[in-house]
Amino acid sequence: MKINLLLAASCFLLFSGATNNRKPSVKMIDPVDFSHVKITDNFWGPRLKSHATTTLAVCIDQIENQTGRIQNFENAAKGEGKHSGIFYDDSDVYKALEGIAYTLKNNPDPELEKKADEWIDKFAAAQQPDGYINTFYTLTGLDKRWRNMDKHEMYCAGHMTEAAVAYYQATGKHKLLDVAIRMADHMINIFGPGKRDWVPGHEEIELALVKLYGVTKDERYLNFANWLLEERGHGHGTKGGEGDWNIAYYQDDKPVREMTDIAGHAVRAMYLYCGMADVAALKNDTGYISALNRLWDDVVLRNMYVTGGIGSSHHNEGFTEDYDLPNYDAYCETCASVGMVYWNSRMNQFTGDSKYVDVLERSMYNGALAGISLSGDRFFYVNPLASKGKHHRKAWYGTACCPSQISRFIPSIGNYIYGTSADAVWVNLYIGNTSEFNIGKTLVKLQQETDYPWNGTVKLTVQSPMKKEIRLRIPGWCKSYKITVNGVKKSTAIEKGYAVLQKKWKAGDEITLTMDMPVEVVAADPRVKEDVGKRAIQRGPLVYCAEQADNANDFDKLTLSAATRFTTDFNPSLLNGVMTIKAGADKEIMFIPYYSWDNRDAGEMKVWMDYNSAK
Ligand SMILES: [Zn+2]
């Protein structure tokens, strides 16, 4: 065992020195990762803090003490004892570790790092001599492994790999990366061209293998990810193995490059599309990109809620028919909204089109952010758009994918603010931060100051001289804006939703973007039956809802009309500080941001309000 680990470590060092002779990517934009971006604003800053102090503590307590997730690794290392929980529970530990890795980069914390190292030692000890790692099969019978494609063996391996890459990037330590490499090599020994077929029931390994390729530059991992994607749609699902196989649910009904409609399980679909995008970017596979464009239209135009949530059905945690978007019974898993952020970020990188960031922002500020309480210690799995008052966040779930997803998502939001291309800095999200990164040999230093999402004024200060374009995203919700450079008004070209500013920038140059942020009354596509005769309220990127806590009487009778006028008021003591909206209808209605609902006394909630068009 020791010898194998040493070998893996030396292989890793060898790979990390290899050069990449690949053709230029079809990607137009490279992301700037969170480690270059220090978030300083009053909206996300406190959330990052409460994530580090509260959310991670809840996850660690649940993983170590309230459930037997770490005990499973200890038992697997000894080869004795029982497995407790569900066969995919290892994945939550890995996702929490990924969140710890990002947090360590944002805010170094030796105690937290010690905890992570302890866990990693236990993972490494639980790895089998042939590289296999999965506590469920290790404790219930290794002879049964790799027989049932829906038992999440590759899914857990994928989350372990993502955690390994994140922890390596945050700390420089590669013990877990060596474990991930050995598991990847184990899988490649068994599966692949001329070997066994395999269709992972829950996608995730594909995008993780591309990350592993990213740090090792070992093309076998990229090629294996590509092969796994190409396995779909050829009748390989469960062939010769155990378990039932619903080809639509598992996204195995047709080859991925022929897909036109989102189907099956929503989170799996998101991870599949991310994997396709990652492979397409490195393999210049325009067939994948065409499929992703078709799928994006199907998701966003016909199957997405106003909150950016997807997957309307409890029955299959996924999709039914187009425009079937019930409100009380919406599923909208938190993980699927986070998946929309992951996928839309990748789509934006192909095209430089801001429409993808519009969706990313919608999912991030609404569907995903609702997934965690303001106190940082309770989580939604399901995110309906209306409630009779019985739906509440919980400290944890039997299937804990959503708490662990939030725990890795919040500390990594710095990933989505900036992008770069050879000649330009792309400003995608308006979040106060200081940042420092490179475009080739050019150092880029920026400071962003804003009270977004409460108001639309953003000041961007260039802090080092550079000769690059600055491309400011003009959000899809914004109908009127003004840009000044050093106090002088500029009219700029707009390309695919970005205002393009060209100048030889000096340190101290100031750009101000002022976006009008009125209250908008939004109608759904008329084919969405549930929302006929209803309207929703949106301001900037935030979707609003009415809660019974603010609208105690006649909640069922609240009605908007064409004559309704709105006023806004920032209330610093309500819900950690929110811009409230009051509608001066027959009976005044008060709205709060959707993400902040269910943080007070239990009561009814709705996003879509009755609308009287006659008035
Ligand atoms: Zn989930």
Side-chain angles (χ1 to χ4, degrees), residues 132-146:
Y132 183 80
I133 175 165
N134 183 292
T135 68
F136 175 75
Y137 279 110
T138 302
L139 292 168
T140 60
L142 281 168
D143 55 323
K144 300 190 203 73
R145 66 183 176 169
W146 299 129

Side-chain angles (χ1 to χ4, degrees), residues 95-159:
K95 280 157 75 187
L97 179 66
E98 190 184 339
I100 291 173
Y102 299 139
T103 302
L104 288 175
K105 190 78 193 176
N106 292 331
N107 295 298
D109 176 345
E111 279 300 304
L112 192 59
E113 188 166 338
K114 199 166 142 238
K115 173 64 65 191
D117 288 335
E118 264 174 43
W119 282 8
I120 289 168
D121 288 343
K122 289 174 184 176
F123 304 159
Q127 187 165 39
Q128 298 303 299
D130 65 0
Y132 183 80
I133 175 165
N134 183 292
T135 68
F136 175 75
Y137 279 110
T138 302
L139 292 168
T140 60
L142 281 168
D143 55 323
K144 300 190 203 73
R145 66 183 176 169
W146 299 129
R147 281 203 211 155
N148 185 331
M149 295 182 186
D150 193 33
K151 278 287 195 276
H152 292 40
E153 290 159 282
M154 286 194 185
Y155 171 80
C156 290
H159 279 305

Side-chain angles (χ1 to χ4, degrees), residues 278-453:
D278 289 343
V279 168
L282 290 160
K283 295 268 186 187
N284 292 346
D285 192 328
T286 51
Y288 277 8
I289 297 174
S290 301
L292 290 170
N293 283 328
R294 291 192 300 270
L295 290 163
W296 190 86
D297 282 351
D298 188 54
V299 173
V300 172
L301 304 180
R302 296 183 280 277
N303 290 288
M304 183 178 80
Y305 284 92
V306 70
T307 53
I310 58 164
S312 59
S313 167
H314 284 246
H315 169 66
N316 62 356
E317 299 191 316
F319 301 90
T320 52
E321 58 198 48
D322 287 349
Y323 307 107
D324 177 26
L325 298 168
N327 292 316
Y328 285 101
D329 296 330
Y331 199 68
C332 284
E333 183 176 340
T334 302
C335 286
S337 288
V338 174
M340 285 287 276
V341 174
Y342 294 157
W343 178 39
N344 278 283
S345 172
R346 286 158 163 90
M347 295 301 284
N348 171 256
Q349 289 160 22
F350 284 130
T351 54
D353 193 325
S354 74
K355 70 178 182 179
Y356 300 108
V357 187
D358 289 343
V359 175
L360 180 161
E361 185 178 64
R362 184 178 288 283
S363 300
M364 179 168 161
Y365 279 86
N366 302 289
L369 193 53
I372 184 163
S373 65
L374 297 176
S375 52
D377 60 355
R378 300 185 89 75
F379 309 93
F380 273 144
Y381 192 115
V382 170
N383 291 276
L385 281 79
S387 167
K388 290 287 182 193
K390 298 248 160 61
H391 184 70
H392 307 298
R393 294 182 187 82
K394 292 184 190 168
W396 198 248
Y397 291 85
T399 293
C401 55
C402 294
S404 59
Q405 185 81 301
I406 283 285
S407 82
R408 71 179 184 142
F409 175 62
I410 298 278
S412 66
I413 56 148
N415 282 335
Y416 307 103
I417 300 174
Y418 298 107
T420 64
S421 54
D423 302 317
V425 178
W426 303 69
V427 186
N428 284 325
L429 293 183
Y430 298 113
I431 294 176
N433 72 86
T434 53
S435 58
E436 198 173 317
F437 49 89
N438 273 73
I439 302 179
K441 288 187 176 142
T442 304
L443 175 69
V444 181
K445 280 174 81 171
L446 296 171
Q447 181 182 37
Q448 204 186 125
E449 294 163 275
T450 181
D451 282 328
Y452 201 88

Side-chain angles (χ1 to χ4, degrees), residues 481-496:
Y481 64 92
K482 190 176 86 177
I483 295 172
T484 66
V485 175
N486 297 329
V488 179
K489 191 171 177 214
K490 292 275 169 202
S491 52
T492 59
I494 297 287
E495 288 178 19
K496 292 183 181 174

